[in-house]
Amino acid sequence: MVIDQVKIGQVIGGMRSLKCLVTDISYLDPQEGIRYRGYTLPEVFAKLPKPPGAEMPYVEGLLFLLLTGDVPTESEVGDIVDEFKKRRVLPSHVYDVIDAFPKDASPMAVFSAAILSMQGDSSFARLYREGINKMEYWDPTFEDTMDLLAKLPEVASYIYSRLYKDGKRTQGDPNLDMGANFAHMMGIPKPYDDVSRLNFIIHADHESGNVSAHTGHLVGSALSDVYLSISAMLNGLAGPLHGLANQEVLRWLQDLVEQMKGKVPTEEEMKQFVWDTLNSGQVIPGFGHAVLRKTDPRYSLQREFCQTHMKDDLLFKYTDMLYKVVPPILTEQGKAKNPWPNVDAQSGIIHWHYGIKEYPFYTVLFGIGRSIGITANLIWDRALGYAIERPKSLSTAMLEEMAKNAK
Ligand code: NMX
Ligand code: MLT
């Protein structure tokens, strides 16, 4: 049965909208935004169990939901929290790998390499060498996922301390859930535990066609294990048109703060700043989307958080003004198909507010969340026996010939 037709514009235009991937874990509606296993993000936040006294749910509960499609009970979430506690200790060589990078290295390059350095521990790779039956591939993929996800907060917080704090950091607390333990290791008090939970949950998945999710799936389709696939997807996430946009927003805003000498600009000044950026041939970071045609609900959730917890923050005031002035400007310019803000327009200012001023680190925080969705997909890829990816390419001359014949 035919479900789609391919246009030349799609072949040369980044395969936009081409229906050629399958995932049951999330679906992105252009108007409504992402649904995880059928639930909108507000529904996910309302339904998942929360740690006592917390505003945001357990990240561990999201993994259960993405894997099974069911909202977990408290006790089911507790099982995953316990599993992560057992698996969170890093092999000592990972610290050596991180230490070997120069202090001015990109945190994403260090993150990707640190994950790659654990590949020798992959249960899938070992069992594959020993001749595991393909019907059982999903099981060691699940084990690798649990091992890796449990370790990511430790890896990330160590990278942060090594690159920016001379290696000084707080040791992990095995009694805390993933979000709270990350905040604890970063040395940031409440409500940063809730910021971490919010951040990891909203970034977890955005169906399969975005660069990071697609890369994870593509690399995994060669039966490369979870470590190889997640390290690879992070390299895609590190691009400025994808996850790096969250740090670009901060860099861009800091330029304006400097120009304004710390004052809130007038709307006219803000409009001029936006036009200057566009006229110099750059994109407005944090705005536009390949699929979405409305304000990203991930942006709205973070905006709600800011309105509750940091409404007087200078950068929040800037961001709020951008929400007002950028969409009409992008519409007037007439290029971007979606003039509305995406997830990256709002995330960096929250980390900045709570003291993480080293914005090159922000994409690592996106990467921890994205690893949850991609590994959930990889487990199902192995369970369902999805094929190795191998689309067909054509030459430009062939496309021109086809276009001529069509005329
Ligand atoms: N500022 C200026 N121009 C833009 C923007 C923007 N925010 N968004 C799109 N355009 C331009 C785009 O560069 C293209 O120009 P040209 O024809 O000269 O190549 C034109 O509008 C059409 O692009 P679209 O079809 O609307 O967008 P596309 O699907 O190609 O790309 C993004 C989607 C997200 C890459 C693009 O909107 C963008 O570059 N946004 C800014 C960077 C950003 O925020 N990225 C983060 C996306 C979310 N994430 O986390 O991954
Ligand atoms: C994402 O979360 O991956 C981004 O919004 C990009 C996308 O979905 O294309």
Side-chain angles (χ1 to χ4, degrees):
M1 185 189 155
V2 177
I3 59 157
D4 208 355
Q5 288 184 329
V6 187
K7 298 199 172 103
I8 289 181
Q10 290 173 298
V11 177
I12 60 174
M15 296 187 275
R16 206 66 83 254
S17 306
L18 193 65
K19 298 184 185 72
C20 57
L21 291 164
V22 188
T23 174
D24 299 306
I25 291 191
S26 68
Y27 180 76
L28 181 60
D29 179 86
Q31 303 297 325
E32 182 190 59
I34 195 69
R35 277 181 184 259
Y36 291 161
R37 289 288 187 177
Y39 297 113
T40 63
L41 282 181
E43 287 166 352
V44 167
F45 280 89
K47 282 178 187 295
L48 287 180
K50 298 184 175 77
E55 196 183 323
M56 302 293 166
Y58 284 104
V59 181
E60 292 87 338
L62 178 77
L63 176 64
F64 189 102
L65 173 68
L66 296 184
L67 280 173
T68 65
D70 296 328
V71 175
T73 62
E74 298 264 354
S75 124
E76 284 165 336
V77 175
D79 287 346
I80 302 187
V81 173
D82 288 345
E83 276 303 314
F84 278 4
K85 283 175 192 167
K86 285 185 221 149
R87 299 172 190 241
R88 71 188 177 94
V89 177
L90 301 187
S92 61
H93 73 263
V94 181
Y95 298 104
D96 300 336
V97 169
I98 296 170
D99 289 348
F101 275 83
K103 290 271 178 66
D104 58 354
S106 145
M108 284 299 274
V110 185
F111 196 32
S112 174
I115 290 169
L116 207 51
S117 78
M118 293 190 275
Q119 192 271 339
D121 293 334
S122 166
S123 300
F124 178 86
R126 180 175 49 80
L127 290 170
Y128 188 85
R129 281 194 301 273
E130 290 170 9
I132 186 178
N133 186 312
K134 67 197 305 190
M135 299 304 287
E136 291 162 23
Y137 284 170
W138 72 270
D139 191 8
T141 305
F142 173 75
E143 292 301 326
D144 284 352
T145 293
M146 296 299 282
D147 281 341
L148 178 61
L149 293 182
K151 292 177 175 58
L152 292 183
E154 175 79 16
V155 175
S157 61
Y158 186 71
I159 292 172
Y160 181 76
S161 72
R162 164 80 193 153
L163 295 185
Y164 308 117
K165 303 284 167 196
D166 291 325
K168 290 191 204 84
R169 70 184 181 125
T170 314
Q171 292 298 317
D173 178 346
N175 297 315
L176 297 174
D177 63 282
M178 185 175 179
N181 194 32
F182 182 68
H184 171 75
M185 288 188 286
M186 294 292 290
I188 309 176
K190 280 177 184 299
Y192 197 74
D193 53 346
D194 273 325
V195 171
S196 299
R197 296 182 190 109
L198 170 70
N199 179 74
F200 297 154
I201 292 176
I202 60 173
H203 287 100
D205 210 28
H206 220 225
E207 67 168 43
S208 284
N210 63 75
V211 169
S212 51
H214 190 195
T215 305
H217 169 77
L218 169 67
V219 173
S221 83
L223 296 187
S224 300
D225 58 60
V226 158
Y227 297 88
L228 295 167
S229 305
I230 295 299
S231 173
M233 78 82 178
L234 288 169
N235 300 335
L237 190 67
L241 295 188
H242 194 17
L244 200 87
N246 66 5
Q247 77 179 52
E248 287 295 292
V249 170
L250 252 288
R251 191 172 58 81
W252 185 64
L253 284 179
Q254 286 306 325
D255 271 1
L256 183 59
V257 172
E258 220 166 274
Q259 280 179 39
M260 296 305 306
K261 299 193 172 44
K263 286 200 298 277
V264 180
T266 62
E267 260 183 58
E268 283 317 305
E269 286 167 330
M270 188 61 103
K271 282 180 189 167
Q272 192 54 50
F273 182 62
V274 172
W275 274 117
D276 288 348
T277 303
L278 287 175
N279 291 337
S280 65
Q282 298 172 60
V283 294
I284 307 299
F287 284 78
H289 202 273
V291 179
L292 280 167
R293 294 295 175 257
K294 278 273 168 69
T295 296
D296 191 333
R298 301 173 296 179
Y299 174 91
S300 306
L301 279 165
Q302 294 178 94
R303 186 165 186 267
E304 273 170 36
F305 180 91
C306 292
Q307 279 167 330
T308 310
H309 293 278
M310 44 183 272
K311 69 175 179 351
D312 295 325
D313 181 276
L314 178 73
L315 289 182
F316 178 56
K317 288 184 180 158
Y318 277 47
T319 308
D320 227 26
M321 195 184 288
L322 287 170
Y323 192 19
K324 201 167 164 197
V325 307
V326 173
I329 293 179
L330 285 178
T331 305
E332 186 183 332
Q333 194 207 27
K335 280 170 72 177
K337 294 190 189 67
N338 176 40
W340 300 103
N342 60 56
V343 64
D344 295 325
Q346 189 85 65
S347 54
I349 65 157
I350 305 181
H351 301 304
W352 181 278
H353 179 84
Y354 289 105
I356 307 179
K357 311 257 169 173
E358 301 81 3
Y359 45 78
F361 188 67
Y362 295 169
T363 317
V364 172
L365 302 173
F366 189 151
I368 298 175
R370 186 50 54 94
S371 301
I372 300 169
I374 296 182
T375 49
N377 273 289
L378 285 169
I379 294 166
W380 276 105
D381 288 353
R382 296 292 77 83
L384 296 170
Y386 281 157
I388 184 168
E389 261 199 35
R390 201 337 182 161
K392 181 79 188 83
S393 57
L394 300 166
S395 68
T396 311
M398 287 172 185
L399 291 176
E400 283 169 352
E401 188 62 23
M402 286 175 182
K404 205 161 51 182
N405 293 343
K407 274 187 195 150

